[in-house]
Amino acid sequence: MTQSTINALLRPLSIPLMAEGALMLLCLIPAIHFHDGTTIPILISSLFTFILGLLIYLTFDRNREHISDRRIPYLIVTSVWIVFSLFGTLPFLTTGVVHGFIEALFESMSGLTSTGATIFSEVEHLPASILFWRSISQWVGGFGIVLMVLAIIPSLGINRYSLYTAEASGADNQGLSVPVNITIRRTLTVYISLTLVFILLQMASGMHLWDAVNLTFTNISSGGFSIYNDSIASITSQQQYILALTMFFSGINFSLLYQFFTFKYKKLRQRLEQFTFYSVMIVVVILFVVLSLHFHSYYDWETALRIGVVQTTSVITTTGSVVDDTTLWWTPITFLFVFLPLVGGMAGSTTGGLKAMRIIILLRNVRNNLRNRLHPHVVNPLRLNGRPVAPQMVNNVMVIFFIYIVTFFVGLLLLMLCGVDAHQSMGAVAGCLSSYGPGLGASGGFGSYAAFPIMAKWVCVILMLMGRLECLTVLVLLFPRFWKK
């Protein structure tokens, strides 16, 4: 690589590191308030991360030339997520709440990718600073580390649209009518506004500020980390419904929400098919789950409705918050909850999975192919929101779908080779790849991944990263041609 390319790669790494150090510094507030004894370790972690980022910035920030190398965005995005996760282990390691590096990396990667899988079985015993670090890392990761940086500092010497698509490859980029930095800032405004609104709603319901901040951070980001051992089962019914609403909004395209809140209703039609598919899917699954819980598991109607609504919304939006031990539910529901997160919410939301837009394109492509078998001479273009979808986009969706399937089965095989049984392996791969978190068996329900072998945890860490960046951004780095001049 040339010196300018190295500068272009390292410069964007410095700003996230400084931001991460500043976020760690915020964890001093609960550390001091609750007297949890972690003030010095958190301060050391924060200063080390911030100073290193500052040194990189001062050393490599002199070259301002624009870099047009199309490989750089993929390198930057993947590197930022890996480096951010590596330094995110410092609070866990310096406070001594984990036994080894892989446990710290697992928790850090899970937090920043908003996966929600955890190696802690007793989170209520964790220091307040660590609980807050888990929550704030999910809140930042849910929106996107690189996107957050671009919203604050638009100019990095790299094409903003390339960075945007490399990190948010599931975003609805068709017909982007405004500059990327404006789109990012608008969606960030919606994200922050929703966070504040739901924190206030939780406080109005009687929840303490500490609980409201942590639970809102982890649910608006589709993360699912909790400050309680039983996730969200112990909070009141009203508060659970508020969290369900929080999760529902987290699965909606943020650009659509911006247009709705700014009364630009004419532009809403461009994404209404996604929203309709997403909403109908949630309603249909909720009906099936509620009826199953009442007639098969004999829950009363009020309980069946409450936990059916909250848990189903959590699953489809890949949040991972748990209101009841789903491993004890009727087996068809349990396995339905394994594969539903692979669908996810709308493109351009905080959710994981393939996204509703891609599922619609997949289904309509199948429908068109069946029609063409009956009427081979009829031209029947695939449409989304009334507009034809470019063949290249259909091809991209098919490729991503294929890669997801291959990654799923390769991950399944690797976990079984690591000594995890097939039942738990299936749940873990689906949970980590879709960013949902909870799996099956010991890692499902209110359980954790603590008992997984070390190598299995490494596999899960890789699956989380690939799931968050939707595989392609990571896999393209593995091609030998990528590294040729």
Side-chain angles (χ1 to χ4, degrees):
M1 289 186 181
T2 63
Q3 184 62 40
S4 60
T5 303
I6 294 174
N7 288 353
L9 178 60
L10 291 177
R11 186 164 58 246
L13 288 177
S14 64
I15 300 170
L17 278 178
M18 288 189 286
E20 188 172 24
L23 291 173
M24 290 180 190
L25 200 62
L26 292 177
C27 297
L28 288 176
I29 298 174
I32 295 172
H33 178 77
F34 292 103
H35 306 286
D36 62 11
T38 63
T39 303
I40 299 302
I42 294 296
L43 184 61
I44 292 173
S45 302
S46 173
L47 291 178
F48 177 76
T49 305
F50 183 86
I51 292 173
L52 182 61
L54 181 62
L55 290 175
I56 296 175
Y57 180 82
L58 295 175
T59 304
F60 295 96
D61 194 46
R62 300 189 182 112
N63 189 348
R64 291 288 183 178
E65 65 176 291
H66 184 82
I67 303 297
S68 58
D69 192 332
R70 296 179 65 180
R71 299 173 298 175
I72 295 299
Y74 295 100
L75 279 171
I76 288 175
V77 169
T78 306
S79 299
V80 165
W81 279 90
I82 292 174
V83 170
F84 215 87
S85 299
L86 288 173
F87 280 85
T89 63
L90 291 179
F92 299 107
L93 294 171
T94 56
T95 56
V97 297
V98 294
H99 300 296
F101 173 74
I102 181 56
E103 283 77 15
L105 182 61
F106 185 100
E107 200 72 12
S108 176
M109 183 66 77
S110 179
L112 291 167
T113 56
S114 296
T115 301
T118 182
I119 51 95
F120 295 118
S121 55
E122 297 285 339
V123 295
E124 292 180 18
H125 293 163
L126 295 175
S129 59
I130 295 299
L131 291 175
F132 190 63
W133 175 241
R134 294 167 83 240
S135 300
I136 202 169
S137 64
Q138 285 204 327
W139 187 79
V140 172
F143 185 79
I145 300 170
V146 176
L147 300 187
M148 195 77 76
V149 172
L150 286 175
I152 302 170
I153 306 174
S155 179
L156 292 174
I158 306 294
N159 183 277
R160 292 187 295 270
Y161 185 77
S162 298
L163 290 172
Y164 177 70
T165 54
E167 178 168 86
S169 55
D172 187 359
N173 302 326
Q174 279 189 302
L176 205 61
S177 57
V178 295
V180 173
N181 61 318
I182 295 178
T183 299
I184 296 172
R185 289 181 181 180
R186 286 177 177 177
T187 54
L188 181 59
T189 300
V190 172
Y191 190 55
I192 294 174
S193 301
L194 287 175
T195 302
L196 294 175
V197 166
F198 284 114
I199 287 175
L200 293 175
L201 283 176
Q202 291 290 9
M203 293 178 66
S205 71
M207 185 179 285
H208 294 297
L209 176 62
W210 168 251
D211 298 9
V213 168
N214 281 280
L215 292 179
T216 302
F217 273 14
T218 58
N219 283 272
I220 194 65
S221 62
S222 302
F225 275 162
S226 180
I227 56 177
Y228 303 114
N229 293 336
D230 61 357
S231 190
I232 60 171
S234 58
I235 62 178
T236 66
S237 300
Q238 183 183 10
Q239 292 163 356
Q240 289 175 357
Y241 278 121
I242 294 174
L243 281 184
L245 189 62
T246 306
M247 299 174 207
F248 178 76
F249 272 89
S250 75
I252 301 176
N253 181 286
F254 282 178
S255 294
L256 183 146
L257 288 174
Y258 177 83
Q259 291 160 3
F260 177 79
F261 292 135
T262 54
F263 308 106
K264 298 177 180 179
Y265 298 128
K266 290 184 179 180
K267 295 184 177 181
L268 291 178
R269 290 177 293 181
Q270 298 176 3
R271 296 181 178 87
L272 278 184
E273 287 193 16
Q274 277 194 79
F275 179 75
T276 302
F277 180 88
Y278 168 67
S279 303
V280 170
M281 177 174 59
I282 288 181
V283 171
V284 170
V285 178
I286 284 176
L287 287 174
F288 172 72
V289 171
V290 170
L291 292 174
S292 299
L293 290 175
H294 179 72
F295 290 108
H296 188 275
S297 301
Y298 307 109
Y299 284 80
D300 62 84
W301 279 113
E302 189 280 328
T303 304
L305 178 64
R306 175 174 53 82
I307 65 177
V309 168
V310 178
Q311 195 61 55
T312 301
T313 308
S314 174
V315 169
I316 292 178
T317 59
T318 71
T319 302
S321 292
V322 181
V323 73
D324 195 50
D325 191 351
T326 55
T327 60
L328 304 178
W329 288 10
W330 190 28
T331 303
I333 300 179
T334 302
F335 276 90
L336 178 66
F337 280 1
V338 169
F339 296 105
L340 270 179
L342 295 172
V343 176
M346 293 179 63
S349 67
T350 63
T351 61
L354 284 166
K355 308 293 190 303
M357 180 181 68
R358 293 194 182 114
I359 300 300
I360 294 173
I361 291 175
L362 281 170
L363 293 175
R364 290 186 178 174
N365 191 40
V366 171
R367 180 197 63 186
N368 284 0
N369 273 275
L370 292 175
R371 285 179 176 177
N372 289 339
R373 287 181 177 273
L374 296 174
H375 308 284
H377 302 295
V378 175
V379 178
N380 190 25
L382 193 152
R383 295 179 180 274
L384 185 65
N385 298 305
R387 297 181 298 174
V389 178
Q392 181 62 38
M393 186 175 183
V394 178
N395 180 65
N396 289 341
V397 170
M398 299 299 291
V399 169
I400 290 175
F401 180 66
F402 175 76
I403 289 175
Y404 255 78
I405 294 175
V406 172
T407 305
F408 181 92
F409 283 105
V410 170
L412 181 63
L413 177 61
L414 289 176
L415 284 185
M416 289 191 291
L417 289 174
C418 292
V420 183
D421 65 76
H423 181 256
Q424 288 195 71
S425 294
M426 181 181 295
V429 172
C432 293
L433 187 61
S434 67
S435 299
Y436 173 59
L440 295 172
S443 62
F446 301 122
S448 71
Y449 288 74
F452 270 44
I454 291 177
M455 288 307 299
K457 290 174 183 173
W458 277 107
V459 173
C460 289
V461 166
I462 296 172
L463 288 172
M464 291 179 207
L465 178 64
M466 293 185 66
R468 179 59 179 81
L469 298 180
E470 300 191 327
C471 298
L472 288 180
T473 301
V474 179
L475 289 178
V476 73
L477 303 181
L478 302 180
F479 277 84
R481 185 181 294 272
F482 179 88
W483 300 99
K484 293 181 180 180
K485 186 174 180 181

